[in-house]
DNA sequence: CGACGCGTTGAAACTCGTCAATTGGTGTGG
DNA sequence: CCACACCAATTGACGAGTTTCAACGCGTCG
């Protein structure tokens, strides 16, 4: 029942870099299995020392951090193709938690093989650095958004970004994509209160910028949305898939 | 006038991982030179395509991002030992700017040799991933701070964190360390207005938590400060130096 | 001397958070 | 089949934290 790397449904997407047969063989060996998780299941727990690394194959999740005062920061939304646990693999333990928001399928890798990968497959090592670097860059953008934008700008920015990520992995249809989270999740991701997030969403819907109902996000006016979010990006570049 | 990697003043610090003579030789070859910059000099410009990578040897700097509306987010403060330009090296171009706040000395590397490094020195490749991963983790913490904490919590957090980083590279003496930035820089780093930052700093000084005057930061009450900032970290782990 | 950058302070305006209550949908047990 | 609990979304009212505006002091530099 395990997906063959060579037939990986994600790899077919043109957003991901191609691999040679040899490289695929190595990845297949690196991959030790596959798991399917129910919605709501924790994948990594803060402070834990997971012996495994994952790549999301299907479904969506949430990376977050809890504070002693009970507040929560959602660091990022997890989409198919995302690598999970690199920090744990490199640093020993994770300082944030990851959980499945919808049911998910994960590719499982053995952390102890990470070093083998660095020695035998410099291309994959490079890819890993690439992934970490891109994630770092992305977090810089989130920080900029949360630090410098108003509520409606942040929300527009966050949803537009999410839409773009969905688009890159083929999860969009027309101007809409799934967004299976709660308003509280979005609020915690953008540093806003639930109530204010709700009211701002209503305003954005009234202004015909975007709408989010029943787990579906629709970008109604791409131009206006990009202007509000101060985004002018072209399309995303090809990226590695581990 | 170029510092020998084997005699690198930073490497002496016990915070950095040791290297074998062989490894040092490779790094020496990787290093193509050294630059000294005046205060205020730009190091990387957003959107540029720098052919070089750097490691800060001496002095302090600032990584930041500008928004179309003129606002600025300071992503991080640059300290000795920090690697600059990994994103450019891996992704092609940087999406943020870096500039020298004080005068700085930088180690210069050739970006085109990065791939050689990955093939020939898997340990260094691993180190680079480590660095990117730690930076990613750090940005997650900043995001949590900016997203979920009040002004005084954020400021205490930011300054305490900076102090810890200084401490790791031996820049502290007693309870104080240099902090050569402007209040505007700190405000932009934490997503606060200049005025409010100023008033909050005054309050923290009056409460005997910490004081920052004339470019020097003093932690007056470590325990109370850690409590406010919700930090309970022990000491930082050893880290690689590229 | 005046211009400029940075720190400081006061007052007013506003965004956003908190409190509180309601609605609708879903699942569960009697 | 209905009552009830529970969760997410929604809405109104109020207040707090923070921003913005404006002004002043101080040191440095040309």
């Amino acid at each position: 029942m395990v997906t063959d790397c060579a037939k990986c449904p994600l790899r077919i997407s043109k957003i991901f870099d191609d691999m040679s047969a040899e490289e695929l063989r190595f990845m297949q060996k690196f991959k030790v299995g596959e798991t399917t998780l129910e919605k709501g299941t924790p994948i990594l727990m803060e402070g834990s020392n997971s012996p495994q690394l994952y790549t999301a194959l299907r479904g969506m999740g949430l990376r977050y951090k809890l504070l002693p005062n009970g507040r929560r920061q959602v660091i990022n939304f997890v989409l198919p193709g995302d690598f999970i646990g690199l920090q744990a693999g490199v640093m020993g333990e994770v300082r944030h938690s990851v959980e499945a928001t919808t049911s998910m399928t994960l590719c499982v890798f053995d952390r102890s093989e990470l070093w083998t990968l660095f020695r035998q497959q410099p291309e994959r090592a490079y890819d890993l650095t690439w992934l970490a670097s891109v994630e770092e860059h992305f977090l810089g953008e989130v920080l900029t958004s949360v630090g410098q934008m108003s509520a409606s700008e942040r929300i527009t920015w966050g949803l537009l970004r999410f839409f773009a990520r969905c688009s890159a992995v083929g999860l969009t249809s027309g101007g809409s994509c799934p967004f299976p989270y709660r308003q509280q999740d979005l609020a915690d991701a953008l540093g806003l209160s639930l109530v204010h997030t709700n009211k701002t969403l209503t305003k954005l819907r009234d202004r015909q910028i975007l709408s989010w109902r029943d787990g579906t996000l629709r970008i109604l006016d791409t131009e206006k949305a990009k202007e509000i979010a101060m985004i002018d990006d072209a399309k995303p570049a090809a990226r590695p898939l581990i």
Side-chain angles (χ1 to χ4, degrees), chain A:
Chain A
M1 219 41 165
V2 171
T3 309
D4 189 337
C5 289
K7 292 176 184 148
C8 177
L10 281 172
R11 201 169 293 287
I12 290 167
S13 167
K14 61 182 174 311
I15 188 75
F16 295 109
D17 294 334
D18 286 333
M19 275 194 200
S20 70
E22 164 64 30
E23 290 173 323
L24 279 173
R25 202 154 38 240
F26 182 89
M27 287 314 298
Q28 188 74 58
K29 211 178 50 166
F30 187 38
K31 173 172 175 176
V32 298
E34 212 170 290
T35 340
T36 298
L37 305 170
E38 285 309 302
K39 71 160 74 169
T41 313
I43 300 173
L44 292 180
M45 297 279 278
E46 177 164 356
S48 74
N49 191 327
S50 163
Q52 292 170 336
L53 309 171
Y54 310 93
T55 289
L57 273 186
R58 190 186 53 78
M60 293 181 181
L62 218 44
R63 290 208 293 143
Y64 64 90
K65 231 171 131 51
L66 291 174
L67 273 75
N69 63 8
R71 304 189 60 150
R72 179 183 72 149
Q73 175 69 42
V74 168
I75 310 282
N76 203 354
F77 301 108
V78 177
L79 267 65
D82 285 3
F83 193 73
I84 301 170
L86 182 56
Q87 288 184 29
V90 175
M91 294 168 55
E93 69 170 44
V94 272
R95 303 300 304 272
H96 61 253
S97 305
V98 184
E99 67 176 48
T101 301
T102 66
S103 90
M104 293 184 78
T105 305
L106 304 177
C107 241
V108 184
F109 305 106
D110 199 343
R111 181 175 136 184
S112 59
E113 289 301 309
L114 193 58
W115 178 238
T116 310
L117 183 147
F118 268 84
R119 257 181 304 140
Q120 296 184 4
Q121 298 272 319
E123 295 87 357
R124 287 300 79 67
Y126 192 86
D127 285 350
L128 278 179
T129 307
W130 197 100
L131 285 174
S133 201
V134 167
E135 189 69 17
E136 176 194 338
H137 168 246
F138 179 75
L139 285 183
E141 295 214 323
V142 180
L143 179 60
T144 304
S145 173
V146 171
Q148 309 297 333
M149 293 184 179
S150 71
S152 40
E153 290 166 347
R154 271 185 246 182
I155 290 183
T156 307
W157 184 91
L159 295 179
L160 217 45
R161 271 315 204 133
F162 185 89
F163 182 84
R165 291 184 63 203
C166 271
S167 174
V169 289
L171 287 173
T172 52
S173 63
S176 64
C177 73
F179 193 75
Y181 303 94
R182 295 170 304 149
Q183 293 189 357
Q184 183 72 63
D185 296 326
L186 183 61
D188 288 348
L190 300 174
L192 296 167
S193 73
L194 169 62
V195 173
H196 199 60
T197 299
N198 180 292
K199 288 174 179 167
T200 307
L201 280 167
T202 304
K203 277 183 203 150
L204 289 170
R205 198 184 307 129
D206 291 348
R207 290 169 62 192
Q208 303 283 322
I209 309 289
L210 50 83
S211 94
W212 166 30
R213 273 181 190 288
D214 306 319
T216 299
L217 168 66
R218 265 173 253 278
I219 311 296
L220 303 177
D221 188 333
T222 309
E223 288 314 309
K224 223 179 284 181
K226 282 190 174 179
E227 193 182 322
I228 294 174
M230 297 179 257
I231 292 180
D232 56 348
D233 275 350
K235 56 200 171 304
R239 59 180 254 207
L241 175 66
I242 299 289

